[in-house]
Amino acid sequence: MGRDEFAVAPGAAQEPLVLALDVGSTATRGAIHDATGRPVGRRAKVAHAFTTGADGTSEIDADQVVDEVADVVTRLLDHHEGPPVAGVALDTFATSLVGVDADGRALGPCSTYADARAAAHVAPLRAELDEAAVQQRTGTRLHTSYLAPRLRWLAETRADVVARARTWMSLGEYVHLRLLGATAASTPTAAWTGMLDRRTGRWDEELLAASGTTAQRLSPVQDPGVPIDGVDAARVARRWPALAHAAWFPAVADGLSSNLGTGAGDAASMALAAATSGAVRVLVPGVPEHVPEGLWCYRVDARRSLLGGAVNDVGRLVAWAQATLRLPEDDAALDAVLAADPDPRTPAVVPFLSGERSTGWAASARAVVADVSAGTTPEALFRGSAEGVATTYARVVEQLVEVAGRPERLVASGRITQGLPHLLQLVADAIGAPVQRVDLKRMTLRGTALLALEALAPDVVRADPPVAGVFEPRAERAEHYVAVRERFDALYDVARGR
């Protein structure tokens, strides 16, 4: 079954329906899904971009995103001809921060997961706290991706904002506050702040104190399947009469949605995501006793956790290579570079353009390139960068196996897997395991809908997403990727500034 056949016509949609929204790194998107998890009718999209700077800035206007979400909802409902929508679900890129004043308005831009301006505050936190204990308690390391160093940076550089901030919110919480008049932090969104005790589901007191805030300045935490309480139903009905009786679910982090959307809903499957950034994740039951130091572990709800590791630069690296190396913008031409046989003369690349998350958590790490000669072509440098990305994924998988064991399958999704599918061949060769490519766009949207459907339609059988084939590891390439890993490891400390 292909992606077109996977969609369902409005008249054939199985109730209840969910309107799913996804605020990603490059756009806000939306689609309606039926109870089986199939898309119904058209999708809607509004493109956007982060504001970035050489100092590590990575921001987006929070009110702009509110308007984008509202626009997408309106466009979807204007063209919807099927059964009524029973629920609205939202995901956003993980780890965002908005300061909100007493009137419920943003005090400035939303900082994103890629904002590295708090890098100077990571080392002091590590000196003050027992980072190993913090990781086992919260599931996260101390890193600029999380809020403790970011709040310290704000206190030092934006004291006026901190003084006026009544509440600190994720972007999704702020969107709901502006549109619904009420909000809540879902357990996974709270976990992605790095400040939630993964065993209790409550804000961590030590991290609150270290970051200079209190639980009262953060949203209440609730599991993602519980609708937001206190929604201004009259406001919603005036704007969208079709949603007058719909349940609105708290926003979740896109990583969780991506896993569910690909069909990786339990420990039998690991999900590999490749978009602007990347990750490998696995849903495991309960709360793992121990978290490997290179990974994170986010509490999802009372019955499961999401274990994984993140890769900062995947699509971002492709875009950089196209702009800087003047490579073709045509995906087919770039994919042909990845489909070629390995060459031992390929440069070695540690691809940390915007710092490292898993497995070393070096926020200030930068890319390192070696083995470049006068004969090195832009294509060869791109191939080496892709091999570096594949190696980074392999390092994450090694630690995942320590907790979750060898998976029955590794499923891959994300826009890079659609445009450059042969990156997955490099990953299969580097990991030594087959990688299955899911042939469906907007898997994150689907996963967000599925999470809401767990509450709205728990007994309905979900449709399996279509698969576009499997990349098997090639035994004749094993020696090449052993050498790639050795060169990567030799350069790793250089990339981390050691």
Side-chain angles (χ1 to χ4, degrees):
M1 178 190 295
R3 67 180 68 155
D4 293 334
E5 292 82 3
F6 187 70
V8 61
Q14 183 173 342
E15 297 186 59
L17 269 55
V18 171
L19 191 159
L21 299 155
D22 165 46
V23 179
S25 300
T26 61
T28 294
R29 300 177 174 88
I32 294 173
H33 293 74
D34 82 342
T36 69
R38 297 189 182 200
V40 181
R42 304 183 184 184
R43 290 193 298 262
K45 170 184 173 181
V46 180
H48 60 224
F50 293 164
T51 298
T52 60
D55 63 347
T57 296
S58 180
E59 297 177 330
I60 191 167
D61 186 293
D63 288 302
Q64 170 192 331
V65 173
V66 172
D67 291 341
E68 291 175 2
V69 169
D71 180 41
V72 167
V73 171
T74 299
R75 287 160 57 190
L76 289 173
L77 294 176
D78 282 350
H79 292 95
H80 179 58
E81 299 175 348
V85 171
V88 183
L90 169 67
D91 75 79
T92 74
F93 52 82
T95 314
S96 55
L97 183 65
V98 183
V100 181
D101 67 15
D103 295 324
R105 301 307 301 241
L107 290 166
C110 165
S111 63
T112 81
Y113 62 89
D115 197 302
R117 288 174 292 177
H121 293 269
V122 174
L125 274 170
R126 288 175 175 168
E128 294 170 26
L129 306 176
D130 181 341
E131 186 177 25
V134 168
Q135 184 190 19
Q136 294 311 313
R137 204 168 60 246
T138 67
T140 64
R141 297 278 292 271
L142 297 169
H143 189 268
T144 56
S145 292
Y146 301 120
L147 297 196
R150 201 169 297 186
L151 288 169
R152 281 200 172 190
W153 174 80
L154 283 165
E156 179 181 280
T157 64
R158 306 286 192 275
D160 58 327
V161 171
V162 173
R164 294 169 57 202
R166 180 175 181 177
T167 311
W168 298 105
M169 296 183 180
S170 70
L171 181 57
E173 292 166 65
Y174 182 70
V175 168
H176 280 147
L177 180 67
R178 298 305 308 160
L179 296 180
L180 311 178
T183 195
S186 72
T187 302
T189 290
W192 250 275
T193 68
M195 294 175 57
L196 188 80
D197 188 316
R198 67 190 181 93
R199 295 187 172 96
T200 66
R202 296 190 292 270
W203 295 113
D204 184 85
E205 294 295 337
E206 184 179 51
L207 269 295
L208 289 171
S211 63
T213 194
T214 65
Q216 289 69 39
R217 298 182 75 185
L218 301 171
S219 296
V221 180
Q222 64 185 55
D223 282 348
V226 180
I228 298 170
D229 190 31
V231 171
D232 187 339
R235 180 196 298 188
V236 172
R238 283 194 299 271
R239 190 166 197 173
W240 300 299
L243 300 180
H245 303 291
W248 292 75
F249 293 89
V252 298
D254 57 0
L256 171 61
S257 298
S258 179
N259 256 64
L260 294 171
T262 59
D266 56 36
S269 304
M270 287 183 186
L272 182 149
T276 302
S277 58
V280 188
R281 298 175 289 256
V282 59
L283 270 167
V284 294
V287 180
E289 182 64 28
H290 176 75
V291 182
E293 65 176 14
L295 305 181
W296 37 252
C297 183
Y298 301 129
R299 181 184 176 103
V300 172
D301 50 32
R303 60 188 176 88
R304 54 193 167 171
S305 301
L306 189 67
L307 183 73
V311 180
N312 269 3
D313 302 302
V314 183
R316 186 180 291 110
L317 186 139
V318 174
W320 172 87
Q322 288 172 317
T324 306
L325 304 178
R326 299 183 180 179
L327 290 167
E329 294 187 4
D330 175 46
D331 283 345
L334 288 184
D335 197 47
V337 175
L338 304 183
D341 289 333
D343 186 334
R345 297 169 296 179
T346 299
V349 181
V350 179
F352 299 156
L353 295 180
S354 57
E356 182 200 21
R357 282 188 278 175
S358 297
T359 56
W361 301 97
S364 58
R366 290 297 178 262
V368 173
V369 181
D371 305 326
V372 175
S373 71
T376 299
T377 65
E379 289 77 11
L381 192 52
F382 173 65
R383 171 69 183 232
S385 300
E387 290 184 354
V389 169
T391 301
T392 305
Y393 277 123
R395 289 163 57 90
V396 173
V397 170
E398 287 175 0
Q399 294 199 11
L400 285 172
V401 169
E402 293 178 21
V403 176
R406 297 291 299 183
E408 294 177 11
R409 59 179 187 152
L410 192 72
V411 293
S413 66
R415 63 181 177 83
I416 298 301
T417 70
Q418 301 293 329
L420 302 176
H422 280 92
L423 175 65
L424 301 181
Q425 182 64 63
L426 275 60
V427 172
D429 291 336
I431 294 174
V435 179
Q436 183 182 87
R437 182 167 74 90
V438 177
D439 186 28
L440 187 65
K441 288 186 176 180
R442 311 305 165 221
M443 299 303 301
T444 302
L445 270 176
R446 178 175 186 264
T448 297
L450 291 177
L451 195 59
L453 287 165
E454 289 181 4
L456 295 174
D459 298 325
V460 175
V461 177
R462 314 299 181 212
D464 292 326
V467 173
V470 179
F471 290 90
E472 298 283 350
R474 300 187 181 181
E476 68 274 16
R477 297 181 176 181
E479 186 175 340
H480 173 81
Y481 283 95
V482 168
V484 169
R485 178 63 180 269
E486 289 175 350
R487 289 191 291 169
F488 186 105
D489 290 346
L491 295 170
Y492 182 69
D493 284 344
V494 178
R496 289 161 51 85
R498 292 182 176 179

